[in-house]
Amino acid sequence: MKILKTVIVLILLSSGFIAQSQEGVTWKWVTKPTADFTILFQCGFSRTPFFEGLAGVRDSNGKWGVVDSTEKWVISPQFEIIGEFSEGVAAAQQNNKLGFIDKKGKWVIQPAFDGNSPFDYCYTKFYEGLAGVAKNRLVGYINKKGEWVINPKFRGIANKFKDGLARARALEAYKFGYINKSGEWVIKPIYDWIDDFSEGLATVHINKNTQDFSQDKSCGFIDKKGNQVIPLQYDFANSFSEGLARVSKNGKWGFINQKGNCIVPIIYDGVWTISEGLAGVEQNGKWGFMDTTGKWIIKPEFDKAESFHNGRAEVRLNGEGGYIELIK
């Protein structure tokens, strides 16, 4: 038996994977951890998370290409910026103009729209057949032929459509509301900040101190008719995912359900949105993963951690970073 265990360990090490076990749940590295791996918190300035099996990556010369799950280049670095893939295409920038490419790197929509920062490219993607883009610094929406469906008339970042609605910022009032696919206000722009509708509800923020948005604000949730479903009582809140939303009070974080009931106590130093049944949770400076009931699946041991996407999560441990996956 000892010989068998030794052989198993040697196989794992020789394959480049290091496995860890937490109360019967095993995780392993799926990319060899390295010291120069840059942990991603959502979209970054050097790479994007994996979506539809692909991720945008910036090379050492500052050009962006696309890699698959094995980190192999499938689109050679040639663009100024590449966003996240959605509905088979990704936003890309060439000569400071934005367009959309397919998974072979071919232009589906020629670059003719205002270029953005890498952060803005996190938001620039097709959802429900439409993508928000800017022309002369005003935001509108195009279809996959590159035709305007909603003429550019809004401010700020072009947000995605979800459940038939998109958040938008009024040109005159500097406030946020929700529009439909005809570009009409469904919920009037009266909020200082809002999030996308998800699972029938959306986070809204009202800043009581108009001089400093980071202070004295109240966050809650409304339905698609604009009715307040969960009172504006949190310091911060994010959209619902898999039945739960992360919320913050007095610098601590937890999760609530759609009735406003606290499912995971608001006692943790940080949490990420639920994805694939798991959430990254920070406790005492270390990150682990919980399920939707608040049970630790991987106890806090990572220096940093991201959400799971396509069965893998980005983590940093002992000065090195890479992707892990669960083995049950």
Side-chain angles (χ1 to χ4, degrees):
M1 181 63 71
K2 290 182 179 179
I3 294 174
L4 178 60
K5 288 182 177 179
T6 302
V7 171
I8 292 173
V9 170
L10 287 173
I11 291 172
L12 287 171
L13 291 175
S14 64
S15 65
F17 297 143
I18 304 172
Q20 300 283 340
S21 181
Q22 296 290 346
E23 296 184 354
V25 177
T26 303
W27 64 265
K28 70 176 184 179
W29 295 106
V30 290
T31 60
K32 187 176 180 181
T34 62
D36 60 357
F37 184 91
T38 301
I39 189 75
L40 269 186
F41 289 97
Q42 307 303 325
C43 204
F45 287 90
S46 61
R47 63 183 295 152
T48 72
F50 278 94
F51 283 96
E52 300 186 358
L54 300 173
V57 178
R58 186 178 65 180
D59 70 1
S60 58
N61 296 318
K63 292 294 186 181
W64 283 72
V66 174
V67 298
D68 62 16
S69 60
T70 67
E71 297 293 316
K72 178 183 177 182
W73 291 108
V74 293
I75 300 175
S76 61
Q78 57 190 282
F79 301 99
E80 294 169 359
I81 306 172
I82 292 179
E84 300 169 355
F85 273 90
S86 177
E87 299 186 5
V89 298
Q93 184 170 300
Q94 198 78 287
N95 298 322
N96 203 35
K97 292 294 183 180
L98 179 150
F100 289 84
I101 59 172
D102 63 17
K103 293 183 178 181
K104 294 182 178 180
K106 303 297 183 183
W107 290 108
V108 176
I109 298 174
Q110 292 295 318
F113 306 100
D114 293 353
N116 286 312
S117 72
F119 177 77
D120 291 339
Y121 272 63
C122 305
Y123 296 88
T124 307
K125 60 183 77 174
F126 272 91
Y127 276 90
E128 300 182 4
L130 297 178
V133 295
K135 193 76 170 177
N136 299 323
R137 299 186 178 181
L138 294 180
V139 170
Y141 289 81
I142 59 172
N143 59 23
K144 287 190 175 178
K145 294 180 180 180
E147 302 166 336
W148 290 109
V149 176
I150 301 174
N151 289 326
K153 57 182 178 180
F154 305 104
R155 284 187 180 274
I157 294 173
N159 296 290
K160 64 188 178 186
F161 270 91
K162 196 168 185 180
D163 297 339
L165 299 176
R167 50 184 168 145
R169 191 175 189 181
L171 186 60
E172 303 84 6
Y174 290 90
K175 297 284 186 177
F176 290 89
Y178 295 88
I179 59 173
N180 60 20
K181 290 185 176 181
S182 296
E184 302 164 334
W185 292 108
V186 174
I187 298 175
K188 293 182 178 180
I190 60 173
Y191 298 103
D192 293 296
W193 180 251
I194 56 179
D195 215 334
D196 297 323
F197 269 93
S198 180
E199 301 180 6
L201 298 178
T203 313
V204 294
H205 304 215
I206 291 180
N207 185 16
K208 296 178 181 178
N209 180 355
T210 57
Q211 299 302 313
D212 186 357
F213 178 72
S214 67
Q215 301 294 324
D216 193 27
K217 63 176 180 287
S218 296
C219 304
F221 293 84
I222 62 172
D223 62 20
K224 290 184 179 180
K225 294 181 179 179
N227 299 317
Q228 191 178 127
V229 176
I230 298 174
L232 278 64
Q233 59 183 310
Y234 301 104
D235 298 331
F236 195 84
N238 273 127
S239 298
F240 275 91
S241 174
E242 301 182 24
L244 299 179
R246 63 182 188 130
V247 296
S248 173
K249 272 188 175 183
N250 302 318
K252 296 296 183 179
W253 292 83
F255 288 93
I256 61 171
N257 63 16
Q258 292 185 343
K259 294 182 179 180
N261 299 324
C262 190
I263 303 301
V264 176
I266 306 174
I267 60 173
Y268 296 101
D269 300 323
V271 299
W272 286 117
T273 300
I274 295 283
S275 177
E276 300 182 5
L278 298 171
V281 179
E282 182 185 16
Q283 186 176 49
N284 299 324
K286 295 293 184 180
W287 286 84
F289 292 89
M290 281 184 175
D291 64 16
T292 56
T293 69
K295 175 185 176 182
W296 287 108
I297 300 302
I298 299 177
K299 289 185 177 180
E301 60 179 298
F302 301 110
D303 301 320
K304 292 182 180 180
E306 244 286 15
S307 299
F308 273 87
H309 294 290
N310 299 318
R312 48 166 51 183
E314 298 171 70
V315 300
R316 180 165 286 278
L317 178 65
N318 299 327
E320 295 185 322
Y323 292 97
I324 65 166
E325 67 179 19
L326 292 175
I327 303 176
K328 295 186 179 180

